[in-house]
C-alpha cells in the first residue's frame, strides 16, 4: 500500500533531520572520559613541547645518555629519534632503545613503537665532535602531533656533563620529511579524488548515486539541463565537504581531537542518521513519496526546483556518506589534518570532486549516458531493490548506537521510528489542522528521544548487587536482611515495577536506613542459579520478589505488581516479624 507523503510534512521532517544532525554531531565534543570536562567548561589545552618532553643528558663511558621525562597523555616515537653532528652526519653506531609500547599509527599506517612516561636512549659515540644535534618527535593522545624538535647538545667530556639548548633555529638533522610537509600534497590530492570516487560504491551512498544516474537517461532532459543538473549536484557535494573541512580545522585548532566521522561519536547524531536511512529506504521501497522538493530521485529534471533538488541531493549524498570510508581516503584525510588550512581544504575539495565525478561525467559526456540501460519498468524494481542497502545501513547504525549508549537508546530510536511513521500515516489518512499538529508533535518527540536517553559516558552506580547463590547464602548466614529482585529485560511487568517502585528514592533510602542488602538477578539470559531459586519457590518465570527479614531464612514473597507503599510496608520492622 502506498501512502503519499505531503510535501510540507516531508520537507519539515527531513529538513529537521538534515539541519539538526550537524548540531548533534557537535555533541561529540562533549564525549569525554569519565570526569573530564566538556569544551564549554574547560577547553582542551596542550602543553608546550618543552614541558611535554623534558630532556636531561649525561656523558658516561664514551656514551651519551639521553633521558626523557614524558608528561601523562603524551608519547614519543622511537623511529624519530636521530642524533647527528653539527654537519648533519648521523652517528655510525646504532642507538640503543628501551622497550616501548607498540601502537598502530594512523598517519604512518603501520605499527610503531612509542614511549609513554619515560624513556632512555643510549648513543655510543664514535665521533670526537663535542656538538651534537638530537631530533625527536611526539604526539598527544588527544590528537595533536608536534613538529620534529631539534636540540643542540654541548658535551664536556672531562666533566661528563652535557648542556642542552633548544634548536628551533637549527637546520633539520635529517632529510626525512616531517608529517606536516606538503611534499606529498599532489599525491594526496590524487588519493582524495580516488577515495571520493570509491566512496560512491559504499552501501549508504550507492543507492542515491544510482537513482540520480538513471534519471539522466530520460530522453526529455536536454544536454544543457544535464550539464546544470550535474553541476548543481557537484556543488552540493563540494560545499558540504568544504563545510566539514572548515569545522574540522576550527575544532582541531581549538585543541579538539576530531577527525573524519567525528560526529558519529555522538549517539544523538547516529540516532538521527538511523531515522534518515529508514525514511530513505521506505521512499525507495515505494511506501513513501518524498516529492521533488528535497530529493530529485528519478524525477523529471527541469529548471528552477530541479536544480535545487540536485543541489540538495548532493548535500544528502555527503550526509549519508559520513559513516563510510574508502581506500585512499583514510591516507588523504590523515595527511590533510596535519597540514596548513589551505592544503587541508584542497584535499577535502578533491574528495568532494571525486565523489561527484561519476555523475558529473555522465551529465557532460552523452556517450557515457548511452552505456546506461534504457529507462523502463525495471527502474522501479531496481529502485526498490536499492532500499535494502539503506535498511542494512540503518541496522548497522543501530548496532553502533547500542555499543555507544546501550539498549535503552536503541529502543528509544526504534520508538522514534514508529512515531515518525505514525505521523506520516496520520497526515496521509486525514489532512486537518488537528492531525497535522499531532503529526508534528510526534515528529518532534521522535527527534527528542535520542537526546533524552543519551548519557555522558560516566559510570553508572547501581543500588543493587548481582544475585548469586553464594552472595545470598553469605548475607543470610550473617543474619542480614535481604531483598531479592528476579527480573529480565523482556519482562514488561518487571520493568514497570522497577520504574514505578524499586527505583524510587524513598524506597532506596529505606533500604539504606534499615541496612537491607538489595540483590538483583537478571534472567534475560539463562542463569541456572536464578532458575533454581524460582523452582524453589514454585515459580516458572519472573518476576519474583523476596524479602528475607534479619536472622531468618524464610522469605516473604511479594506480589507480582508492586508499588512503593507495598514494598515499604513489607520491609518495615513491624511487618518483618510476622
Amino acid at each position: 500500500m502506498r501512502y503519499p507523503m505531503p510535501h510540507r510534512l516531508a520537507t519539515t521532517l527531513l529538513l529537521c533531520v538534515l539541519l539538526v544532525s550537524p548540531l548533534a554531531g557537535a555533541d561529540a565534543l562533549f564525549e569525554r572520559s569519565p570526569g573530564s570536562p566538556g569544551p564549554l567548561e574547560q577547553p582542551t589545552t596542550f602543553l608546550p613541547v618543552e614541558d611535554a618532553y623534558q630532556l636531561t643528558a649525561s656523558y658516561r663511558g664514551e656514551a651519551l645518555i639521553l633521558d626523557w621525562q614524558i608528561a601523562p597523555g603524551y608519547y614519543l616515537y622511537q623511529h624519530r629519534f636521530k642524533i647527528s653532528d653539527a654537519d648533519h652526519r648521523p652517528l655510525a653506531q646504532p642507538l640503543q632503545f628501551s622497550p616501548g609500547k607498540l601502537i598502530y599509527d594512523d598517519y604512518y599506517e603501520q605499527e610503531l613503537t612509542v614511549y609513554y612516561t619515560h624513556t632512555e636512549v643510549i648513543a655510543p659515540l664514535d665521533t670526537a665532535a663535542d656538538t651534537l644535534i638530537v631530533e625527536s618527535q611526539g604526539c598527544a593522545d588527544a590528537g595533536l602531533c608536534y613538529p620534529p624538535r631539534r636540540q643542540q647538545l654541548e658535551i664536556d667530556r672531562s666533566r661528563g656533563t652535557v648542556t642542552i639548548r633548544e634548536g628551533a633555529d637549527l637546520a633539520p638533522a635529517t632529510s626525512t620529511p616531517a608529517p606536516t610537509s606538503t611534499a606529498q600534497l599532489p599525491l594526496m590530492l590524487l588519493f582524495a579524488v580516488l577515495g571520493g570516487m570509491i566512496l560512491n560504491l559504499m552501501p549508504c551512498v550507492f543507492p542515491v548515486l544510482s537513482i540520480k544516474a538513471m534519471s539522466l537517461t530520460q530522453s526529455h532532459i536536454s544536454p544543457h539541463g544535464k550539464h546544470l543538473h550535474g553541476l548543481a549536484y557537484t556543488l552540493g557535494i563540494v560545499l558540504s565537504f568544504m563545510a566539514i573541512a572548515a569545522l574540522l580545522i576550527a575544532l582541531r585548532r581549538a585543541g579538539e581531537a576530531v577527525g573524519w566521522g567525528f560526529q558519529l561519536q555522538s549517539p544523538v547524531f547516529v540516532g538521527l542518521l538511523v531515522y534518515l536511512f529508514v525514511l530513505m529506504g521506505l521512499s525507495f521501497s515505494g511506501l513513501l513519496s518524498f516529492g521533488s522538493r528535497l530529493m530529485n530521485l528519478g524525477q523529471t529534471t527541469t529548471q528552477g526546483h530541479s536544480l535545487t533538488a540536485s543541489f540538495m541531493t548532493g548535500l544528502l549524498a555527503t550526509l549519508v556518506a559520513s559513516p563510510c570510508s574508502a581506500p585512499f581516503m583514510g591516507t588523504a584525510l590523515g595527511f590533510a589534518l596535519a597540514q596548513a588550512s589551505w592544503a587541508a581544504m584542497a584535499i577535502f575539495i578533491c574528495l568532494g570532486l571525486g565523489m561527484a565525478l561519476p555523475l558529473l561525467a555522465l551529465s557532460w559526456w552523452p556517450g557515457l549516458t548511452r552505456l546506461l540501460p534504457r529507462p523502463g519498468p525495471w527502474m522501479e524494481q531496481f529502485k526498490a531493490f536499492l532500499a535494502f542497502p539503506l535498511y542494512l545501513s540503518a541496522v548497522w547504525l543501530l548496532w553502533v548506537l547500542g555499543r555507544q549508549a546501550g539498549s535503552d537508546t536503541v529502543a528509544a530510536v526504534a520508538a522514534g521510528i514508529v512515531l515518525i511513521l505514525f505521523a506520516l500515516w496520520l497526515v496521509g489518512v486525514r489532512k486537518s489542522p488537528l492531525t497535522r499538529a499531532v503529526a508534528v508533535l510526534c515528529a518532534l518527540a521522535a527527534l527528542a528521544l535520542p537526546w533524552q536517553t543519551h548519557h555522558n559516558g560516566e559510570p553508572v552506580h547501581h543500588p543493587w548487587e548481582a544475585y548469586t547463590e553464594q552472595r545470598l547464602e553469605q548475607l543470610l548466614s550473617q543474619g542480614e536482611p535481604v531483598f531479592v529482585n528476579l527480573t529480565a529485560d523482556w519482562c514488561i511487568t518487571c520493568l514497570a515495577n522497577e520504574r514505578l517502585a524499586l527505583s524510587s528514592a524513598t524506597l532506596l533510602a529505606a533500604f539504606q536506613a534499615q541496612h537491607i542488602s538489595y540483590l538483583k538477578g537478571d534472567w534475560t539470559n539463562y542463569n541456572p542459579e536464578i532458575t533454581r531459586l524460582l523452582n524453589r519457590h514454585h515459580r516458572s518465570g519472573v518476576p519474583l520478589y523476596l524479602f528475607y527479614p534479619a536472622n531468618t531464612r524464610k522469605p516473604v514473597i511479594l506480589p507480582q505488581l508492586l508499588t512503593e507503599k507495598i514494598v515499604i510496608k513489607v520491609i518495615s520492622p513491624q511487618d518483618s516479624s510476622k
Side-chain angles (χ1 to χ4, degrees):
M1 187 173 182
R2 184 182 180 91
Y3 297 101
M5 181 177 178
H7 286 173
R8 291 186 180 179
L9 182 59
T11 303
T12 301
L13 291 177
L14 278 183
L15 279 181
C16 283
V17 174
L18 290 171
L19 294 177
V20 172
S21 292
L23 298 177
D27 188 60
L29 302 181
F30 298 89
E31 298 297 313
R32 294 291 185 272
S33 58
S36 296
L40 296 182
E41 299 171 4
Q42 181 179 345
T44 302
T45 57
F46 294 97
L47 295 174
V49 65
E50 58 271 12
D51 293 336
Y53 315 104
Q54 298 182 12
L55 172 62
T56 58
S58 60
Y59 177 77
R60 297 195 305 266
E62 299 299 322
L64 181 64
I65 313 298
L66 303 176
D67 187 281
W68 269 276
Q69 297 296 324
I70 305 170
Y74 294 77
Y75 59 88
L76 287 169
Y77 289 108
Q78 184 188 88
H79 77 290
R80 295 297 296 167
F81 287 124
K82 294 178 175 63
I83 302 179
S84 61
D85 61 21
D87 295 324
H88 307 318
R89 290 189 296 264
L91 299 181
Q93 297 294 325
L95 302 179
Q96 300 174 14
F97 299 106
S98 304
K101 179 179 180 180
L102 200 62
I103 66 170
Y104 182 83
D105 187 271
D106 291 330
Y107 175 77
Y108 292 100
E109 295 188 331
Q110 59 180 316
E111 290 188 336
L112 297 173
T113 300
V114 299
Y115 297 101
Y116 285 89
T117 309
H118 166 265
T119 188
E120 184 179 85
V121 177
I122 301 176
L125 296 182
D126 55 357
T127 176
D130 292 331
T131 300
L132 297 177
I133 298 174
V134 176
E135 181 177 318
S136 61
Q137 185 179 18
C139 297
D141 286 334
L144 174 70
C145 281
Y146 295 90
R149 180 189 186 190
R150 290 172 294 278
Q151 295 167 283
Q152 183 170 299
L153 308 181
E154 299 291 344
I155 304 174
D156 188 333
R157 297 175 188 260
S158 61
R159 297 182 180 179
T161 60
V162 180
T163 303
I164 304 172
R165 75 174 181 89
E166 290 299 319
D169 56 338
L170 300 175
T174 67
S175 59
T176 303
T180 55
S181 170
T182 57
Q184 294 181 305
L185 182 59
L187 178 62
M188 294 301 159
L189 294 176
L190 176 61
F191 278 5
V193 173
L194 293 175
M197 293 176 64
I198 298 175
L199 197 59
N200 287 290
L201 301 178
M202 299 297 107
C204 44
V205 182
F206 184 71
V208 177
L209 173 68
S210 299
I211 297 301
K212 201 66 183 172
M214 287 190 300
S215 70
L216 294 178
T217 64
Q218 299 181 22
S219 57
H220 60 269
I221 303 176
S222 67
H224 182 64
K226 291 180 180 179
H227 296 167
L228 296 178
H229 183 87
L231 289 175
Y233 177 78
T234 302
L235 183 63
I237 291 180
V238 172
L239 287 181
S240 300
F241 274 95
M242 291 178 67
I244 294 173
L247 181 60
L248 285 176
I249 292 170
L251 292 176
R252 289 179 72 89
R253 283 188 173 182
E256 298 296 334
V258 295
W260 173 259
F262 77 95
Q263 64 273 30
L264 289 164
Q265 295 171 346
S266 165
V268 172
F269 180 85
V270 175
L272 295 177
L273 209 53
V274 170
Y275 292 161
L276 181 61
F277 277 118
V278 170
L279 290 175
M280 288 176 59
L282 291 174
S283 175
F284 276 55
S285 297
L287 300 176
L288 295 174
S289 177
F290 286 95
S292 61
R293 294 194 179 189
L294 285 179
M295 296 183 300
N296 189 23
L297 303 179
Q299 303 292 330
T300 302
T301 302
T302 59
Q303 301 292 333
H305 288 302
S306 64
L307 293 180
T308 302
S310 298
F311 177 83
M312 292 299 295
T313 304
L315 297 179
L316 179 65
T318 305
L319 179 63
V320 299
S322 60
C324 302
S325 187
F328 304 107
M329 182 176 166
T331 302
L333 290 178
F335 178 86
L337 296 178
Q339 305 305 307
S341 299
W342 66 269
M345 184 64 72
I347 289 176
F348 273 84
I349 290 175
C350 286
L351 186 62
L353 288 174
M355 185 174 172
L357 191 58
L359 191 69
L360 188 63
L362 287 172
S363 65
W364 280 82
W365 283 277
L368 296 177
T369 307
R370 298 189 191 101
L371 299 177
L372 298 176
R374 292 188 177 184
W378 67 270
M379 291 179 63
E380 286 299 318
Q381 297 178 356
F382 183 63
K383 179 181 177 181
F385 169 77
L386 291 177
F388 292 97
L390 297 173
Y391 292 138
L392 289 175
S393 298
V395 171
W396 168 66
L397 287 173
L398 281 173
W399 175 80
V400 173
L401 189 63
R403 301 273 299 199
Q404 288 178 324
S407 58
D408 286 354
T409 304
V410 173
V413 171
I417 294 173
V418 175
L419 284 174
I420 291 175
L421 296 180
F422 175 73
L424 301 177
W425 171 83
L426 188 64
V427 176
V429 170
R430 181 179 179 85
K431 299 180 179 64
S432 69
L434 178 61
T435 57
R436 287 173 179 168
V438 173
V440 170
L441 289 176
C442 289
L444 292 176
L447 293 175
L449 280 173
W451 270 281
Q452 294 300 317
T453 58
H454 173 51
H455 59 78
N456 58 10
E458 295 182 358
V460 178
H461 300 288
H462 298 291
W464 43 262
E465 300 179 58
Y467 167 82
T468 64
E469 291 177 340
Q470 181 181 3
R471 181 57 176 160
L472 177 60
E473 178 61 30
Q474 179 185 11
L475 293 171
L476 294 180
S477 63
Q478 296 172 354
E480 297 187 14
V482 182
F483 184 87
V484 178
N485 168 20
L486 300 186
T487 182
D489 289 346
W490 37 260
C491 171
I492 297 179
T493 303
C494 305
L495 298 177
N497 287 334
E498 290 187 21
R499 294 275 181 166
L500 299 176
L502 300 180
S503 299
S504 74
T506 303
L507 179 61
L508 296 177
F511 281 167
Q512 187 175 8
Q514 299 180 41
H515 306 287
I516 297 174
S517 297
Y518 180 11
L519 301 183
K520 180 177 178 179
D522 188 352
W523 209 42
T524 302
N525 297 315
Y526 177 73
N527 184 311
E529 295 188 5
I530 296 176
T531 304
R532 284 193 289 268
L533 185 60
L534 289 169
N535 293 336
R536 192 177 307 149
H537 296 283
H538 309 289
R539 296 296 179 90
S540 60
V542 293
L544 176 61
Y545 306 105
L546 306 172
F547 174 61
Y548 294 84
N551 301 310
T552 181
R553 290 179 173 269
K554 184 178 179 180
V556 177
I557 301 178
L558 282 73
Q560 289 191 334
L561 296 178
L562 298 180
T563 64
E564 179 185 292
K565 291 183 178 180
I566 290 175
V567 181
I568 291 179
K569 182 178 180 181
V570 170
I571 67 173
S572 60
Q574 58 270 24
D575 289 338
S576 63
S577 60
K578 293 182 180 181

